[in-house]
Amino acid sequence: MMRQLYSMLCGMLALTLLATGCIPRADQISSERRVANYVEQGGKTGIVGKVFIKTGGAPLAGAYVNIYPDAISNLLGPSMFISLPTGSDGSYSLDVPAGTYYVVARKRLSGKAMGPLSPGDYYSEHQRVVTTVVPGKLAVVDMPLVVIKAPMFFKKEVVESQTGTGVRGKLVDVSGNPVPGGFATAYVDPEMRRLPDFASTLSDENGDFILYLPGAGTYYLGARIHAWDMPRPGEPYGRLGGDNPQPVIVEKGTFVEGLTIEMLPFDGEYKPGKSRRPI
């Protein structure tokens, strides 16, 4: 009975927040954007486009475009290809072989091509932009960027390749609907008010995620939408087991299957001074 009452209250809160625009609906969170626009230019094969500021559409010079062959690393860290800095009109061009790629754009105020992102830097939001390059054509991928307003975090360790050990599960909201564009976080102990030890791939349109782990162990799972700062009030947030984190025992060479993490509107207190200590 208490659980039903809690779910009903959370549902009412979620509807209020959705109505006021405080949190996005699940169908507004885009986990993947596929681009299939092409031009021909002397038989060249690759990717071209423009990088611009999402609000207002002004071209963004000095940005770098990274090309990844897969999304296992959550599009962080070294990429397979990286462009020269974008020109004054925000344009970039990359010669890459035919194949399917993930495209990410970033501009650091430091001017560096690589390194952690900081407040004031620009990035192409938390979604996957995918394009397929075909021989003799240039895929046209324009990238809107937004400003980071708080220090980004993601995970302490990066599992850069698919391993045979991990967790497969689903992110859902209070009504049981899938949450795309989020990610599961993993910790090696139940103290989850810190930087995650590992993170999953972004959840797809069905809310499904894959969390690759380097080895066997006991893990505690959470779920987030944004990869920075503490959760804000109303932001979808979840922990497997709720207030009593549930341990998940993972054996080497196997996947724990079918876990569901429910994401509720965060009702904790936001502390600006703790922004570098994400919860």
Side-chain angles (χ1 to χ4, degrees):
M1 179 65 70
M2 291 298 295
R3 173 64 177 172
Q4 292 176 339
L5 178 60
Y6 176 72
S7 295
M8 181 178 69
L9 291 173
C10 286
M12 293 174 64
L13 173 61
L15 288 174
T16 301
L17 290 168
L18 288 169
T20 58
C22 292
I23 60 174
R25 299 193 310 270
D27 61 2
Q28 290 178 320
I29 302 171
S30 175
S31 61
E32 187 168 286
R33 176 167 68 92
R34 291 190 170 270
V35 180
N37 300 321
Y38 299 94
V39 295
E40 295 186 7
Q41 191 180 93
K44 290 184 178 180
T45 301
I47 303 175
V48 298
K50 291 189 176 182
V51 177
F52 59 93
I53 299 173
K54 184 175 181 179
T55 302
L60 190 59
Y64 291 87
V65 177
N66 298 83
I67 308 298
Y68 294 84
D70 54 53
I72 294 171
S73 67
N74 281 299
L75 311 180
L76 297 171
S79 57
M80 177 178 283
F81 303 99
I82 184 170
S83 72
L84 294 172
T86 53
S88 59
D89 61 350
S91 63
Y92 73 93
S93 177
L94 278 164
D95 295 328
V96 301
T100 297
Y101 300 100
Y102 293 83
V103 185
V104 177
R106 308 178 178 107
K107 178 181 178 178
R108 297 165 179 82
L109 296 183
S110 66
K112 295 181 180 179
M114 300 180 64
L117 294 172
S118 301
D121 292 344
Y122 291 85
Y123 79 122
S124 51
E125 295 194 285
H126 201 54
Q127 68 169 198
R128 296 176 289 191
V129 179
V130 186
T131 192
T132 297
V133 176
V134 298
K137 291 186 178 182
L138 297 172
V140 181
V141 183
D142 294 332
M143 301 293 293
L145 271 60
V146 299
V147 177
I148 293 175
K149 296 181 180 180
M152 292 197 73
F153 80 96
F154 207 77
K155 50 194 172 182
K156 286 183 178 178
E157 300 181 44
V158 177
V159 179
E160 293 287 1
S161 60
Q162 295 183 13
T163 66
T165 304
V167 177
R168 294 189 181 97
K170 182 183 294 288
L171 305 183
V172 300
D173 63 18
V174 68
S175 300
N177 299 313
V179 177
F183 57 92
T185 56
Y187 302 78
V188 296
D189 57 59
E191 178 50 59
M192 303 171 70
R193 296 175 182 270
R194 58 177 173 79
L195 190 72
D197 296 304
F198 304 98
S200 74
T201 58
L202 291 177
S203 58
D204 63 17
E205 64 273 11
N206 299 312
D208 295 330
F209 67 84
I210 303 176
L211 174 58
Y212 295 106
L213 297 169
T218 298
Y219 299 92
Y220 298 83
L221 304 187
R224 291 289 308 271
I225 290 294
H226 299 299
W228 62 88
D229 209 8
M230 287 183 64
R232 302 290 182 119
E235 178 187 331
Y237 171 80
R239 286 189 290 187
L240 186 67
D243 292 335
N244 299 301
Q246 173 186 331
V248 177
I249 299 174
V250 182
E251 298 181 359
K252 186 174 179 59
T254 65
F255 276 84
V256 174
E257 304 278 358
L259 291 183
T260 298
I261 303 177
E262 185 180 53
M263 302 183 72
L264 304 174
F266 181 69
D267 60 0
E269 180 184 0
Y270 176 73
K271 300 178 180 180
K274 301 294 184 181
S275 63
R276 289 189 179 277
R277 296 174 57 190
I279 188 169

